[in-house]
Amino acid sequence: MKKLLTFLTTASLITLPVLSSERGCLRRNDCTKEVYEVKSQHYEGEVRDILANLEDLDVGVYRAFPYYFKENYRGLYYSDANVIYLNMGHIDHDDKALINVLRHEGWHVVQDCKAGLYNSSLARIYLDSGEIPFEYTENAINLYGIDDPRVVKIEREALWAGATPDMTTKSLKECVLKYETENP
């Protein structure tokens, strides 16, 4: 199955052009130039909690220079490699942007956990669309279009989680418990 790329877009980030081979190292998780690991001990509060849970799940989190990202991408989660990349051009110097992107990409890890964590699939958590505030469905349609309804269903959850304090943290904790039970 092809590697699944998830992302959050915005309208204001400017990035430098990048060769596809440079961006490909993110997918392979072997970028070395201007890519920095993010660890929980360097943060406080919800950011620390999300990062600690991701570390418990062996999900790598890295800050990377903007030229690795397509225009307007804030973050990426590769479900087949269990790795998150955060766009430094968006998150550095803006704590609110950092937590929102980390919640969003962390939610994709929750979706991956539901699908089995070591695969390349994401599963919806909220099967009843009525549980998700409509504004997030509307935002997902505006950002991703309606060509692929599955993407909208996956992304609307992540958009909601990105804006909701502790939603991602709570679900990641449940994922850690599931992971530890299945892999003693």
Side-chain angles (χ1 to χ4, degrees):
M1 181 177 232
K2 288 189 171 186
K3 296 178 181 181
L4 178 60
L5 168 67
T6 59
F7 56 87
L8 175 62
T9 63
T10 130
S12 63
L13 184 63
I14 298 173
T15 58
L16 300 173
V18 64
L19 298 173
S20 61
S21 60
E22 288 175 330
R23 190 176 298 120
C25 70
L26 292 180
R27 182 176 291 279
R28 294 185 309 273
N29 195 24
D30 65 1
C31 296
T32 57
K33 181 181 174 189
E34 300 177 312
V35 174
Y36 308 95
E37 189 169 17
V38 178
K39 295 302 240 175
S40 62
Q41 70 258 24
H42 299 136
Y43 296 90
E44 296 179 356
E46 188 179 0
V47 171
R48 181 198 60 234
D49 295 343
I50 290 172
L51 290 170
N53 283 304
L54 293 170
E55 289 165 6
D56 289 343
L57 293 168
D58 297 320
V59 174
V61 180
Y62 301 89
R63 294 169 40 248
F65 264 57
Y67 62 77
Y68 284 111
F69 296 84
K70 288 183 179 180
E71 187 174 358
N72 300 327
Y73 283 31
R74 296 178 179 189
L76 300 166
Y77 174 59
Y78 292 102
S79 60
D80 55 334
N82 298 101
V83 64
I84 293 173
Y85 289 96
L86 307 172
N87 184 333
M88 291 170 62
H90 180 73
I91 61 146
D92 283 7
H93 314 295
D94 186 347
D95 292 340
K96 186 175 180 182
L98 170 62
I99 189 60
N100 290 346
V101 174
L102 195 55
R103 286 175 185 155
H104 178 103
E105 300 306 332
W107 190 260
H108 289 311
V109 175
V110 171
Q111 293 169 323
D112 192 14
C113 183
K114 183 173 181 182
L117 198 58
Y118 294 103
N119 61 58
S120 59
S121 299
L122 301 179
R124 292 174 33 215
I125 306 301
Y126 293 94
L127 300 178
D128 179 4
S129 63
E131 295 178 271
I132 301 168
F134 182 72
E135 67 188 271
Y136 298 106
T137 300
E138 203 170 44
N139 288 346
I141 290 169
N142 289 336
L143 289 169
Y144 304 104
I146 58 172
D147 295 336
D148 188 345
R150 185 175 185 284
V151 169
V152 169
K153 290 174 182 177
I154 292 292
E155 290 298 334
R156 70 182 176 190
E157 290 183 10
L159 290 169
W160 182 26
T164 306
D166 298 314
M167 182 175 169
T168 299
T169 304
K170 179 181 176 245
S171 294
L172 282 171
K173 285 180 185 176
E174 293 170 8
C175 186
V176 168
L177 290 173
K178 175 184 172 187
Y179 177 74
E180 288 174 346
T181 302
E182 293 174 357
N183 303 292

